[in-house]
Amino acid sequence: MTETSFNFSLEFTVRDYECDLQGVVNNANYQHYLEHARHEFLVSKGVSFSRLHDEGIDLIVSRVEIDYKYPLRSRDRFVVRLNIERAGNVRLLFIQEICRMPDEKLIASARVTGVATKNGKPVSPANIVIQRIEVATPEVIAGR
Amino acid sequence: MTETSFNFSLEFTVRDYECDLQGVVNNANYQHYLEHARHEFLVSKGVSFSRLHDEGIDLIVSRVEIDYKYPLRSRDRFVVRLNIERAGNVRLLFIQEICRMPDEKLIASARVTGVATKNGKPVSPANIVIQRIEVATPEVIAGR
Amino acid sequence: MTETSFNFSLEFTVRDYECDLQGVVNNANYQHYLEHARHEFLVSKGVSFSRLHDEGIDLIVSRVEIDYKYPLRSRDRFVVRLNIERAGNVRLLFIQEICRMPDEKLIASARVTGVATKNGKPVSPANIVIQRIEVATPEVIAGR
Amino acid sequence: MTETSFNFSLEFTVRDYECDLQGVVNNANYQHYLEHARHEFLVSKGVSFSRLHDEGIDLIVSRVEIDYKYPLRSRDRFVVRLNIERAGNVRLLFIQEICRMPDEKLIASARVTGVATKNGKPVSPANIVIQRIEVATPEVIAGR
């Protein structure tokens, strides 16, 4: 994914409690890292989960694909990067990658599909979420 | 604590993801086990968190003391036991212990203090939580 | 996936601490459930992670795909089912699904790819893991 | 604890997945925060868990006391501070507090007792851990 320029990145350090018996970060914790980066991205674009929720809109994940390339270990520094794209009328696709720092070794790449629901029914994110993101940063969803 | 008869017990098996780098259950996960046993106990007594919440009442933990005696390892079976006592007018005290199965080795003992709050202010649990528990099982809070 | 007969299943109950702000099980926790079912399955077939590790063999997850269909909530009962298949020479594919109990509502379906590594290099699982599983239950990997 | 000067502090931000059904950080996660701060402190003093482990020495927690004063919520910033003291011949006492930023509201205070074990038996931390810490920072354990 070298030619992709990512629109958001967030740095982390592995905490010991995130590692498991095998001495590496437990697979499920990568989802935590990916989620936290997505939420920070949305907040940075002015998309507030609680404000949306008050309007009856919820953002939910409908599909996750993660390729685990290399494990993170105790105290590793790493960065989670992401891009966002529309996928059809009602879905958002987050393209994410996790790279160890500072050597940029690719740890995992992920594709996470999100859906916006209004009062429980899928709605076009173009009208709700993307719109808000576009206002702030038109280039974000310009596609690859 | 051999002479104490506990009023509720719940069995678990250690899941691999609950263990950390040192090959034993991470300390924080014992709090999860203790919490889950408390919630199952309260539900078994007809105390519903969501119904209480709808009445403006929340049960919160104000203090935790845990003595870690011996670690649990991958796939260990264990039981979490508890008793409940009043502690003054506004607090409940949960006396809990975790024992490995089937050899009954004491893994941890804990004292967890809970407070009932109504619209954010402490209220006497006697009027709210204990009362409901007493209706179901007078012996539970009869003291040791 | 109605016509698939699964070879292993494990029942769970949602614990409150597994739910997040939105009142449903946090997405990452489904990976915990899926992992725990895989490990219990392998143990049930006599495949011991620690014994394999002593022989220099590690089982790792190289890819996860999860489709989230419907959320689990506090105290829901559910079952995790799985099948295992070879995928080429060096990979194992776990086909998994999570269904709520007792209404069998499909909560999530997953495809998890595992690789066996010996001293850090991928090895054919047919010679190591599958072989052990086949000895115990030839029908398991007979394919769909 | 206003008159205590702490010897180490570490800043965090609450991640959404750390919050539970009640909309606040789950109680067990405070133990994660406290643990991570202790580990970062020890590493900052040149005490390496893995190097100690290679020498047959493990640091374990034998007792935790936490007073929960006020809950942390999604995206709150906070700081974990700590001091370390000897407690008798074989124990270390970590005095820790969690304060919200930037208003310094006290969220939780904790006392965590650690023991150093060599080949499974308690050893005087003065000869092992404290010694290493003292070399680096004599003032740390000067007591209050």
Side-chain angles (χ1 to χ4, degrees):
Chain A
M1 211 171 280
T2 50
E3 67 255 74
T4 309
S5 62
F6 286 93
N7 291 98
F8 184 78
S9 65
L10 189 65
E11 288 189 32
F12 296 72
T13 300
V14 173
R15 301 174 184 173
D16 285 347
Y17 66 78
E18 296 167 340
C19 299
D20 66 14
L21 286 170
Q22 298 185 299
V24 296
V25 170
N26 183 271
N27 289 319
N29 284 326
Y30 294 91
Q31 273 212 46
H32 282 320
Y33 300 152
L34 295 167
E35 175 192 294
H36 185 54
R38 290 195 307 276
H39 289 203
E40 290 290 308
F41 165 71
L42 290 170
V43 167
S44 78
K45 296 307 174 197
V47 177
S48 156
F49 280 80
S50 58
R51 209 183 320 139
L52 284 176
H53 186 77
D54 291 345
E55 302 171 29
I57 298 166
D58 283 304
L59 296 178
I60 61 174
V61 168
S62 62
R63 179 172 169 81
V64 165
E65 296 169 52
I66 306 175
D67 286 291
Y68 296 98
K69 302 295 191 185
Y70 197 83
L72 286 171
R73 293 177 180 280
S74 170
R75 305 185 46 72
D76 279 351
R77 284 195 308 120
F78 61 97
V79 61
V80 181
R81 300 193 176 98
L82 72 80
N83 259 335
I84 187 170
E85 297 176 13
R86 286 191 210 187
N89 280 330
V90 297
R91 285 172 300 180
L92 294 174
L93 180 60
F94 291 89
I95 312 291
Q96 297 190 262
E97 69 173 32
I98 299 176
C99 290
R100 193 173 61 192
M101 301 275 282
D103 69 357
E104 286 288 340
K105 180 151 187 100
L106 181 61
I107 298 300
S109 57
R111 296 166 67 85
V112 179
T113 308
V115 181
T117 61
K118 183 156 191 173
N119 304 321
K121 289 180 184 152
V123 288
S124 169
N127 300 328
I128 291 163
V129 180
I130 287 281
Q131 201 174 44
R132 300 189 189 199
I133 296 171
E134 281 180 319
V135 171
T137 59
E139 76 279 11
V140 171
I141 59 151
R144 290 183 299 182
Chain B
M1 211 170 280
T2 50
E3 66 257 73
T4 310
S5 64
F6 285 94
N7 292 98
F8 183 78
S9 65
L10 188 66
E11 288 188 34
F12 296 72
T13 300
V14 172
R15 301 175 184 173
D16 285 347
Y17 66 79
E18 295 166 341
C19 299
D20 66 13
L21 285 171
Q22 297 185 299
V24 296
V25 170
N26 183 270
N27 288 320
N29 285 325
Y30 294 91
Q31 255 188 274
H32 282 320
Y33 301 152
L34 295 166
E35 175 193 292
H36 186 54
R38 291 195 306 275
H39 288 204
E40 290 290 309
F41 165 70
L42 290 169
V43 167
S44 78
K45 296 307 175 199
V47 176
S48 157
F49 281 80
S50 58
R51 208 183 321 139
L52 284 175
H53 186 78
D54 290 345
E55 301 172 30
I57 298 165
D58 283 303
L59 296 178
I60 61 175
V61 168
S62 63
R63 179 173 168 81
V64 165
E65 295 170 50
I66 306 174
D67 285 292
Y68 296 98
K69 302 295 192 185
Y70 196 83
L72 287 172
R73 293 177 181 277
S74 172
R75 306 184 47 69
D76 278 351
R77 283 195 306 121
F78 61 99
V79 61
V80 181
R81 300 192 175 97
L82 72 81
N83 260 333
I84 187 169
E85 296 176 12
R86 286 193 210 188
N89 280 330
V90 297
R91 284 172 300 178
L92 294 173
L93 180 59
F94 292 89
I95 311 292
Q96 299 191 258
E97 69 173 31
I98 300 176
C99 290
R100 194 171 60 190
M101 302 273 284
D103 68 357
E104 285 288 341
K105 181 155 186 96
L106 181 61
I107 299 299
S109 58
R111 296 167 66 86
V112 179
T113 308
V115 181
T117 61
K118 184 157 190 172
N119 304 321
K121 287 180 184 153
V123 288
S124 168
N127 300 328
I128 291 164
V129 179
I130 286 281
Q131 201 173 44
R132 301 188 187 201
I133 295 170
E134 281 180 318
V135 170
T137 59
E139 78 278 13
V140 171
I141 58 151
R144 291 182 301 180
Chain C
M1 211 172 279
T2 51
E3 68 257 73
T4 310
S5 62
F6 286 94
N7 291 98
F8 184 77
S9 66
L10 189 65
E11 288 188 32
F12 296 72
T13 299
V14 173
R15 302 174 183 173
D16 285 347
Y17 66 78
E18 296 166 340
C19 298
D20 67 14
L21 285 171
Q22 298 184 300
V24 296
V25 169
N26 182 271
N27 289 318
N29 285 325
Y30 294 91
Q31 256 189 274
H32 282 321
Y33 301 151
L34 295 167
E35 177 192 292
H36 185 54
R38 290 195 306 275
H39 289 204
E40 290 291 308
F41 166 71
L42 290 169
V43 167
S44 78
K45 296 306 174 196
V47 177
S48 157
F49 280 81
S50 58
R51 208 184 321 138
L52 284 176
H53 187 77
D54 290 345
E55 302 171 29
I57 297 165
D58 282 304
L59 296 179
I60 60 174
V61 168
S62 63
R63 179 173 169 81
V64 165
E65 295 169 52
I66 306 174
D67 285 291
Y68 297 97
K69 303 294 192 186
Y70 197 83
L72 287 171
R73 293 179 179 277
S74 171
R75 303 186 47 71
D76 278 351
R77 284 196 308 120
F78 61 98
V79 61
V80 181
R81 300 193 175 99
L82 73 80
N83 259 334
I84 187 170
E85 296 176 13
R86 285 192 210 185
N89 280 329
V90 296
R91 286 173 299 181
L92 294 173
L93 181 59
F94 292 88
I95 311 291
Q96 299 190 258
E97 70 172 32
I98 299 176
C99 289
R100 193 173 60 191
M101 301 275 282
D103 69 356
E104 285 288 341
K105 178 150 187 101
L106 181 62
I107 299 299
S109 57
R111 296 167 67 86
V112 179
T113 308
V115 180
T117 60
K118 184 157 191 172
N119 303 322
K121 289 181 184 152
V123 289
S124 169
N127 299 326
I128 291 163
V129 179
I130 286 281
Q131 201 174 45
R132 301 188 188 200
I133 296 172
E134 280 180 318
V135 170
T137 60
E139 76 279 11
V140 171
I141 59 153
R144 292 182 299 182
Chain D
M1 212 171 278
T2 50
E3 68 258 74
T4 309
S5 62
F6 285 93
N7 291 98
F8 184 77
S9 65
L10 188 66
E11 289 188 32
F12 296 72
T13 300
V14 172
R15 301 173 185 174
D16 285 346
Y17 67 80
E18 295 166 341
C19 299
D20 67 14
L21 286 171
Q22 297 184 301
V24 297
V25 170
N26 183 271
N27 289 320
N29 285 325
Y30 294 91
Q31 272 214 44
H32 282 320
Y33 302 151
L34 296 166
E35 175 192 293
H36 185 54
R38 291 195 307 275
H39 288 204
E40 290 290 308
F41 165 72
L42 289 169
V43 167
S44 78
K45 296 307 175 198
V47 176
S48 157
F49 281 80
S50 59
R51 207 184 320 140
L52 285 175
H53 187 77
D54 291 345
E55 301 171 31
I57 298 165
D58 283 303
L59 297 179
I60 61 175
V61 167
S62 62
R63 179 173 168 81
V64 165
E65 295 169 52
I66 305 174
D67 285 292
Y68 296 98
K69 302 296 191 185
Y70 196 83
L72 287 171
R73 294 178 180 277
S74 172
R75 304 184 49 71
D76 278 351
R77 284 196 307 121
F78 61 99
V79 60
V80 182
R81 301 194 175 96
L82 71 82
N83 259 334
I84 186 170
E85 297 177 11
R86 285 191 211 190
N89 280 330
V90 297
R91 285 174 298 179
L92 295 174
L93 180 60
F94 292 89
I95 311 292
Q96 299 191 258
E97 69 172 32
I98 299 176
C99 290
R100 194 173 60 190
M101 302 275 282
D103 68 356
E104 285 287 342
K105 179 150 187 102
L106 181 60
I107 299 298
S109 58
R111 296 168 67 87
V112 179
T113 308
V115 181
T117 60
K118 183 157 191 172
N119 303 321
K121 287 179 185 154
V123 289
S124 169
N127 300 327
I128 291 166
V129 179
I130 286 282
Q131 200 173 44
R132 299 187 190 202
I133 295 170
E134 282 181 317
V135 171
T137 58
E139 77 278 12
V140 172
I141 59 153
R144 291 184 299 181

